[in-house]
Amino acid sequence: MTAPATEELATFVTTDIAAITRGRSIALRDLDAGMEKGVGWVPANLALTPFDEIASPNPFGSAGDLRLIPDPAAKVRVTAIPDMSPLHFYHSDITELDGRPWEGCVRSMLKAAVADLEAAAGLRVVAAFEQEFQILGADWPAAPSFALSAQRRADPFGPLLVTALREAGAEPETFLPEYGRDQFEIVCGPAAALAAADRAVTIREITRELAAQFGWRATFAPKADPAGVGNGVHIHLSFTDLDGRPVTFDAKRPGRLSERAGAFAAGIVRHLPALTAFTAPSVPSYLRLQPHHWAAAWTTLGEKDREATLRICPTSERPGYDPSRAFNMEFRAADATASPHLSLAVLIRAGLEGLRANLAQPPIAKGDPAEMTAAERAGQGIRRLPGSLPEALAALDADPVVRGWFSPTFLDCYFAMKRKESEIVAHLEGRALCDRYAAVY
Ligand code: GLU
Ligand code: MG
């Protein structure tokens, strides 16, 4: 008797407010029907902390039923990971049973933000996530930062990762050894906002799965070692009009940001303290968001400065080169404990507030805020970002504009989950705190 061929599974996934990708699988043979009707989902799942304990009470309790409906345009199928069955999944939306978007679905929130930006401002966001991670457990000999030898120690991890990401449609651009210990970075091409956020998740999942095949752990946690370098998620943003023409660049204006891009930046800078509650939403996020970490610590728009929270990126200055399409700004106060969809959604919402209010572009920060007096900082309108998760949550609580983007139920769940998460790790600090998060992220 011959054994039956192993069936392939396809998984419908959602990446939630804890930035964990969860889902349910069906057999490939049932995929056509499954694409239509999705799979069941549970509202209270949104209250899950990264450490599995659920926040209780939460707005949902044991009540209610939802559907996880796959997006056929967000298919990922990867066969390049050795000794694993195909990694086949679909980024999915959480809907009510009648198909309406569920108020707790962050992917639907991003879609709504994109639609509102198009309708209200005639702009489309093009985004790319640049993500850093560290390999744990490889037991490599030390190698210098950025060194060829640092990359070759990991071989064939790099080529396999690029192959798998290409197969997943993630358009890998650069794989590099970074500054931190056993730290790497993966940069993928720009895409429309929703595809870019999906892609950020896809990259994390593939990287972790591939590293595990080598017997290592890839962690994207904001700090794997309290004394070490942080792992950032840098979100690059640019705009086109509805015909796809680039509209971010204006050579005549400060920082070369177009008037509309400047107003968008102003909205982000204005709401930054509250935004960090979503983009840097964990306890160790604030070990990273410190001055002189090349991360982000102040409400600054900067040019060619890796301490700026919103950094205007350089372009090629070759004669004859048109920088208008590549020109972009980079949001640096994000990390992988944040949902990419929610992060991008709040950046777009904040930018849209700036556009609607026709805010003036913030001044391009000059000098190092950490070296300035309080009066000098105030003169440039520079505020410190929250210094801890409780401070970030308090900033969110104090910003009615940002709270107004969400349903009260969603916010109740978000605060409850984050408070529970803080409580679970309250007895941990330093190394133990970083280890706890690195084991999950
Ligand atoms: N590792 C830094 C961070 O935590 C970023 C370094 C860089 O500029 O790439 O964001
Ligand atoms: Mg980097």
Side-chain angles (χ1 to χ4, degrees):
M1 247 178 42
T2 50
T6 307
E7 292 198 42
E8 179 174 327
L9 298 182
T11 311
F12 301 161
V13 301
T14 175
T15 302
D16 63 13
I17 55 177
I20 308 279
T21 302
R22 311 182 202 263
R24 297 182 179 186
S25 301
I26 60 172
L28 196 57
R29 55 193 280 168
D30 300 326
L31 188 59
D32 286 347
M35 293 300 291
E36 289 289 317
K37 64 180 194 314
V39 291
W41 202 245
V42 178
N45 285 2
L46 197 69
L48 280 166
T49 65
F51 311 111
D52 293 339
E53 265 182 85
I54 197 157
S56 176
N58 66 62
F60 311 109
S62 57
D65 279 289
L66 301 164
R67 301 300 290 176
L68 206 48
I69 303 291
D71 179 347
K75 170 183 175 173
V76 173
R77 188 171 181 278
V78 174
T79 59
I81 302 176
D83 301 323
M84 294 289 280
S85 68
L87 173 63
H88 186 176
F89 64 86
Y90 295 79
H91 298 284
S92 309
D93 295 329
I94 310 175
T95 73
E96 302 280 359
L97 298 181
D98 63 9
R100 280 175 300 128
W102 182 51
E103 62 185 328
C105 174
V106 289
R107 194 169 187 271
S108 303
M109 289 178 198
L110 175 56
K111 284 186 186 175
V114 165
D116 286 354
L117 183 70
E118 284 191 25
L123 291 181
R124 276 202 187 118
V125 167
V126 178
F129 285 70
E130 187 183 308
Q131 309 196 84
E132 294 170 333
F133 62 92
Q134 277 165 294
I135 296 288
L136 307 178
D139 208 15
W140 285 318
S145 302
F146 313 116
L148 175 62
S149 59
Q151 182 164 322
R152 296 299 293 175
R153 289 176 311 178
D155 200 62
F157 177 75
L160 280 173
L161 181 60
V162 167
T163 306
L165 292 176
R166 177 113 37 226
E167 202 184 359
E171 297 181 32
E173 280 187 347
T174 316
F175 172 66
L176 59 133
E178 251 284 2
Y179 178 60
R181 173 157 186 196
D182 302 344
Q183 189 183 37
F184 296 90
E185 175 176 314
I186 186 90
V187 185
C188 288
L194 183 67
D198 287 345
R199 199 175 266 190
V201 170
T202 300
I203 293 164
R204 294 175 196 172
E205 292 302 315
I206 290 177
T207 305
R208 291 191 190 108
E209 184 165 318
L210 182 62
Q213 283 311 97
F214 285 76
W216 315 325
R217 203 182 143 67
T219 181
F220 292 76
K223 278 267 184 179
D225 172 352
V229 167
N231 294 306
V233 171
H234 301 163
I235 307 175
H236 292 259
L237 298 167
S238 63
F239 310 94
T240 69
D241 63 18
L242 300 185
D243 296 318
R245 282 185 296 258
V247 292
T248 324
F249 183 77
D250 184 341
K252 295 181 293 301
R253 289 178 36 90
R256 304 187 299 166
L257 273 184
S258 68
E259 195 173 341
R260 284 190 288 176
F264 191 98
I268 292 179
V269 168
R270 173 171 286 189
H271 295 290
L272 253 174
L275 300 185
T276 57
F278 297 111
T279 64
S282 68
V283 179
S285 295
Y286 295 87
L287 299 178
R288 175 176 164 261
L289 293 191
Q290 294 292 330
H292 300 160
H293 279 54
W294 285 29
W298 311 94
T299 60
T300 45
L301 173 68
E303 205 184 3
K304 298 177 185 164
D305 176 2
R306 288 180 176 75
E307 286 278 312
T309 296
L310 200 54
R311 168 179 172 256
I312 302 169
C313 296
T315 54
S316 165
E317 288 170 15
R318 270 179 295 142
Y321 176 78
D322 173 12
S324 58
R325 197 164 284 277
F327 189 67
N328 71 86
M329 53 190 168
E330 176 192 50
F331 180 83
R332 296 172 68 87
D335 65 59
T337 59
S339 147
H341 299 86
L342 186 53
S343 298
L344 201 45
V346 297
L347 292 178
I348 292 173
R349 288 269 170 230
L352 185 51
E353 299 286 345
L355 285 159
R356 283 200 170 116
N358 215 356
L359 295 184
Q361 179 177 317
I364 294 181
K366 298 249 174 329
D368 178 355
E371 304 293 323
M372 293 176 196
T373 64
E376 285 167 340
R377 282 194 293 266
Q380 290 195 48
I382 299 174
R383 293 163 291 157
R384 180 75 169 86
L385 293 184
S388 67
L389 179 57
E391 278 180 41
L393 294 172
L396 171 59
D397 204 34
D399 191 330
V401 174
V402 175
R403 279 190 283 112
W405 303 334
F406 302 97
S407 79
T409 309
F410 174 80
L411 279 180
D412 280 356
C413 186
Y414 195 79
F415 280 108
M417 193 282 265
K418 285 292 152 191
R419 287 193 191 110
K420 179 71 186 176
E421 176 183 336
S422 309
E423 195 184 300
I424 295 170
V425 297
H427 65 293
L428 300 175
E429 54 185 39
R431 180 93 244 172
L433 176 71
C434 292
D435 285 350
R436 187 81 160 107
Y437 276 88
V440 176
Y441 293 98

